[in-house]
Amino acid sequence: MSMELRKRIAIFGGSFNPVHVGHIALARSVVQQQLADEVWLLVSPQNPLKQQADLLPETQRLALARKALVNEDGVEVSDFEFHLPRPSYTWNTLQALSTAYPDVDFSLLIGADNWALFHRWAHPADILAHHQLWVYPRQGVVVDEASLPAGVCLIEAPLFPLSSTDIRNLVRKGESIHGYVPQAIEQDVQRLYATQ
C-alpha cells in the first residue's frame, strides 16, 4: 500500500475515569489540525503507573466513553487493550495494534506530565523509533520544546481546568459537574461515582 493511502491514527490511552470534555476537545483538536485522520481513545483496563482504588470497572468506563462520543466524527473509543495481557504497557499495545492493522500508521498522544515520565515507560526508545509522539500541554508542566527528540512534537491544544480526579471529587461532594462531562453522560457519572 502506498504511503499516501495509509491511515493515520493517534492513540490516546488513558483510564478515562471518567471521560470528560477536555479529553474530547483534545482529540477533536488533533483531527482538526490534521495530525491524524482519527483519534482512538484507548480505555486502559490497568495503568501500571496508577493506583487502582478508585478506578471504575473497565466495562463501565468504556460504556461511558462510547456514550459520550456517539456523535463525534473522527474520534473512536476502543477496548483493544482489554484483550491484551495485563498490565497494559504502551509498547506492547502499539506492537499489537501494528500487527492487527498493518496498513495504519499509529502515533501516540500523551500529556506533558506523561512525557516527563516517559523514560520510566517500558521500552521508550523502541516507541520513539517507530511512532510519532504528540505531546499536549498540561497545567503547570513546562516542556522545553528545543530539547525534544526527533519524532516528538509539542502540539497546540485546549487546556482543561479539571482532571478526572477533580470531577470524581465534585461528585462525591454532591457538587455540580455540569459542563465538565458531556451532557449525555452527566447523570451516569453522578450515579456511578457517587459511591466510589
Side-chain angles (χ1 to χ4, degrees):
M1 181 175 270
S2 71
M3 293 302 288
E4 294 79 25
L5 296 177
R6 291 177 67 84
K7 195 169 201 175
R8 298 170 307 137
I9 295 175
I11 296 300
F12 182 15
S15 300
F16 301 109
N17 188 37
V19 68
H20 56 63
V21 296
H23 295 133
I24 298 168
L26 172 61
R28 188 184 294 142
S29 170
V30 168
V31 174
Q32 288 171 345
Q33 292 179 61
Q34 300 181 348
L35 304 176
D37 302 312
E38 288 180 8
V39 174
W40 286 4
L41 268 63
L42 214 64
V43 178
S44 174
Q46 181 185 356
N47 181 330
L49 299 179
K50 282 194 178 177
Q51 294 294 322
Q52 302 297 298
D54 59 354
L55 195 63
L56 205 66
E58 59 208 46
T59 52
Q60 290 181 318
R61 289 182 286 116
L62 179 73
L64 282 174
R66 284 186 168 153
K67 188 173 181 180
L69 284 152
V70 74
N71 292 316
E72 190 68 40
D73 289 337
V75 185
E76 302 290 333
V77 177
S78 172
D79 65 354
F80 190 83
E81 283 194 331
F82 290 18
H83 313 289
L84 298 178
R86 300 180 190 188
S88 310
Y89 291 104
T90 301
W91 176 72
N92 293 333
T93 301
L94 288 168
Q95 282 198 316
L97 280 165
S98 297
T99 299
Y101 302 94
D103 297 330
V104 171
D105 286 329
F106 288 102
S107 59
L108 192 59
L109 178 62
I110 66 170
D113 52 340
N114 272 317
W115 172 247
L117 299 172
F118 191 72
H119 63 282
R120 289 177 49 196
W121 289 27
H123 307 281
D126 288 340
I127 294 173
L128 288 177
H130 296 99
H131 301 279
Q132 172 75 45
L133 259 68
W134 308 111
V135 179
Y136 61 89
R138 292 298 297 261
Q139 201 78 46
V141 182
V142 178
V143 176
D144 177 12
E145 209 168 344
S147 72
L148 294 176
V152 181
C153 293
L154 190 64
I155 66 170
E156 287 187 29
L159 273 176
F160 185 63
L162 296 184
S163 67
S164 293
T165 302
D166 295 327
I167 291 168
R168 294 195 304 273
N169 289 337
L170 286 172
V171 170
R172 288 186 196 115
K173 292 176 189 172
E175 296 181 23
S176 174
I177 56 169
H178 185 69
Y180 298 140
V181 298
Q183 194 169 348
I185 63 166
E186 188 174 329
Q187 290 185 349
D188 297 323
V189 169
Q190 287 173 325
R191 174 177 52 83
L192 290 166
Y193 287 94
T195 56
Q196 273 298 106

